[in-house]
Amino acid sequence: MDITPVKSIKDIPSEENLLSGTPACAGCGGLLTLRHCLKALGENTVIVNAAGCFTLLSIYPFTPFMSSWLYTAMACAPAGAQGVRDALDILIKKGRLDSEEDLKVVVLTGDGAAYDIGLASTSGALYRNLDFYYICYDNEAYGNTGFQWSGATPFASKTGTTPPGKTAPTGTLTNKKNLFEIWRSHKPPYLATISPAYPVDLYNKVKKAEQYKGPKLFIALSPCPPGWATDPSHSVNLAKLAVDTGIWALKEAVHGDVKHTLIPRKFKPVENYLKEQGRFAHLFKPVRQEETIKKIQEMVDGYWKEVGI
Ligand SMILES: Cc1ncc(C[n+]2csc(CCOP(=O)(O)OP(=O)(O)O)c2C)c(N)n1
Ligand code: SF4
């Protein structure tokens, strides 16, 4: 197992043949995340995918994946992963599968499944120390069904179910759940946040996770042009801006110890990130919501102060 970190994107092997011809929206940050993750995971994987946008990637009898793929209901991808892991272990034990041919079991879900509907089955899998990867592409809403509010939706975002109006001019009133800490409280061996705009950081994290037996979890903030009301060509810049403003902290936790893997030298104002997106347009027009913008900046500043940076 070679887990030597790579230094540049040029050192990352091509993912040729791992994923091709995908029917997702142009500029989908989740898809870009998946591509980068597959480069690190390789083709000996079985992907267990909860209902969401990526369910549509494989349409029987066609699939863009070189690897195996299994579809589950939103609530139970980690339970599906348990079944696959158990089946592989039994086949290896019976000598019907060479351990060299073992597969990595990878759960792939959106935030609706990860933060809300599938959280109980994830908790169960973590508790059982299931040996699997979990990749959550977090577009901060239920994307596939029209961008409805999820537990991952940030304060003040407009969604299909939290439109800004007279009673709630900010749109969403609640704060984003802290899934990283919810997962960390279960003490998995490896846990990280990742970004499609930082492929070297992403690749090294997924590779590093390989050495740990048990749950290996990844949350990727993933721009979603139709839901975020952004230009598809801006997705990578936007994902980068989320990191550069400090709104998306890149970090990992090895056996619970948290380390930030990329700290911006100079944090950009969060306003730069918000004003790029139609889902926050009501904060700027017709009247600028100064207090709300200030509150979001304070929340970001508060996070970095709390972690001592
Ligand atoms: C229990 C349940 N409720 C609702 C649905 C309908 N549904 C299918 S996909 C989807 C959206 C999933 O959102 P998310 O997990 O964030 O993934 P994304 O669509 O953003 O890829 C919903 C609500 C469902 N399949 N199961
Ligand atoms: S709706 Fe968003 S998450 Fe879903 S495929 Fe389109 S860009 Fe990707």
Side-chain angles (χ1 to χ4, degrees), residues 23-31 53-54 137 139 143-144 147 222-227:
C25 309
C28 175
L31 193 63
C53 285
F54 290 176
Y137 57 97
N139 59 16
N144 186 244
F147 207 72
S222 303
C224 168

Side-chain angles (χ1 to χ4, degrees), residues 78 82 85 105 107 121-135 183-184 186-192 209-218 253-256:
Q82 178 80 57
R85 187 61 264 160
V105 181
V107 163
S121 76
T122 313
S123 176
L126 291 175
Y127 183 67
R128 294 189 303 274
N129 202 34
L130 175 64
D131 189 22
F132 77 131
Y133 293 77
Y134 192 134
I135 300 164
W183 277 355
R184 191 165 77 96
H186 292 72
K187 302 191 170 46
Y190 192 81
L191 163 62
E210 213 172 304
Q211 66 189 290
Y212 303 108
K213 203 167 159 64
K216 299 167 268 284
L217 310 150
F218 302 87
V254 178
H255 294 299

